[in-house]
Amino acid sequence: MFQAMYEDKGVGLAAPQVGWSVQLLLMNPSGSKDDRSGERVVINPQVVKSWGKAKDQEGCLSFPDIVVDVTRKAGVRLRWQDEHGETHEEDVNEFPARIVQHDPFARSAHGIDQSGRQAGVVLQQCPVHLCQMHAPP
C-alpha cells in the first residue's frame, strides 16, 4: 500500500482505496519514498481529544485537480494499533494531524468535518474508498 500511496504522490492512504474493508491508514507526512522516517501504519484510529484550529490547503482523489482551504483542529490525541497489534496514544500536531483528520475513520470519532470552497465547489468529507490526501505543492 505504501507503494501505491507514493506513486500517487500521497501522504495518506486508507485501506478501502485498495479494496480492503478495514480501518487502516498508511501515512508519511514527507510524501517521499526516499524519506520513510515518518511512515506509520495506523489501525483502528480514534481521535480522543483535539485542540486549536488551523487552516491550510488540501486535495483529494474524490475531487481531482481541486485544492481548497480547509479548517481543521491544529492537533489531536490519536489512539491506534500498529501492525503488531500494539496500542499507541500520541499527540499529533500540524500536518500529521491534518492527515489523520482527513481519514474518515479517525474523523468519525469526533465528527470532524472536512469542508472548504473553491470556484463554487464544496469539498465535503471524502468517501472512504476515495480518500487520499496529497503532499503539499
Side-chain angles (χ1 to χ4, degrees), residues 52-58 68-74 98 101 112-116:
K53 286 187 178 181
K55 186 176 184 177
D56 206 343
Q57 294 190 330
E58 291 185 21
V68 297
D69 288 334
V70 179
T71 300
R72 296 200 183 274
K73 298 295 184 177
R98 184 167 291 277
Q101 291 174 81
I112 299 165
D113 185 32
Q114 170 185 329
S115 61

Side-chain angles (χ1 to χ4, degrees), residues 84-137:
H84 306 290
E86 294 183 37
T87 300
H88 302 268
E89 191 167 310
E90 178 182 345
D91 289 347
V92 183
N93 294 289
E94 300 175 357
F95 190 54
R98 184 167 291 277
I99 296 169
V100 168
Q101 291 174 81
H102 193 92
D103 174 30
F105 302 126
R107 189 172 54 232
S108 65
H110 279 270
I112 299 165
D113 185 32
Q114 170 185 329
S115 61
R117 295 184 185 275
Q118 177 182 355
V121 176
V122 178
L123 182 62
Q124 295 297 332
Q125 69 183 48
C126 302
V128 66
H129 65 288
L130 297 174
C131 188
Q132 177 176 0
M133 217 175 139
H134 292 274

